[in-house]
Amino acid sequence: MLAKTLFRSSPLSSLGRRSLQTTRAAPSEGAINASRGSISDKEKAVENQWAHQHDAEKIKKLREQLASHEKEAASLKKNLEDLEKGR
């Protein structure tokens, strides 16, 4: 009985119990660490989707520019042929 009252009133005994409680949990396992993996996977998926859409828009603009340049080149070629025939 005396030991129980000394154990309860001792400030060191409460520190010992606290340290045991904090060392029981494994920091590498748990719900928080598991959820971080799914969040980063979702972020990667969103980023990949954005990059794919951005690349598709760039390709569309480049194809439009290419078509414009091909029309201009065809027009210049025609003008050159007309000038050569006129000689």
Side-chain angles (χ1 to χ4, degrees):
M1 181 114 157
L2 183 61
K4 286 184 180 180
T5 56
L6 288 175
F7 185 71
R8 286 184 187 164
S9 64
S10 172
L12 295 176
S13 64
S14 63
L15 289 176
R17 277 190 241 150
R18 287 184 192 154
S19 66
L20 285 177
Q21 290 176 351
T22 57
T23 58
R24 287 183 189 172
S28 63
E29 298 291 328
I32 294 174
N33 288 332
S35 68
R36 286 185 183 154
S38 65
I39 290 173
S40 65
D41 291 344
K42 184 177 179 181
E43 289 173 351
K44 286 179 188 176
V46 169
E47 184 177 345
N48 287 340
Q49 185 179 13
W50 175 85
H52 181 72
Q53 184 179 5
H54 183 69
D55 290 346
E57 290 173 3
K58 284 175 98 176
I59 289 171
K60 182 180 176 184
K61 287 180 182 178
L62 288 172
R63 285 186 177 156
E64 290 172 356
Q65 287 179 351
L66 178 63
S68 172
H69 288 258
E70 286 175 346
K71 284 182 182 178
E72 187 178 342
S75 174
L76 291 173
K77 200 176 219 182
K78 184 181 177 193
N79 289 341
L80 180 63
E81 288 173 0
D82 289 343
L83 287 174
E84 287 177 350
K85 286 181 184 177
R87 283 189 185 178

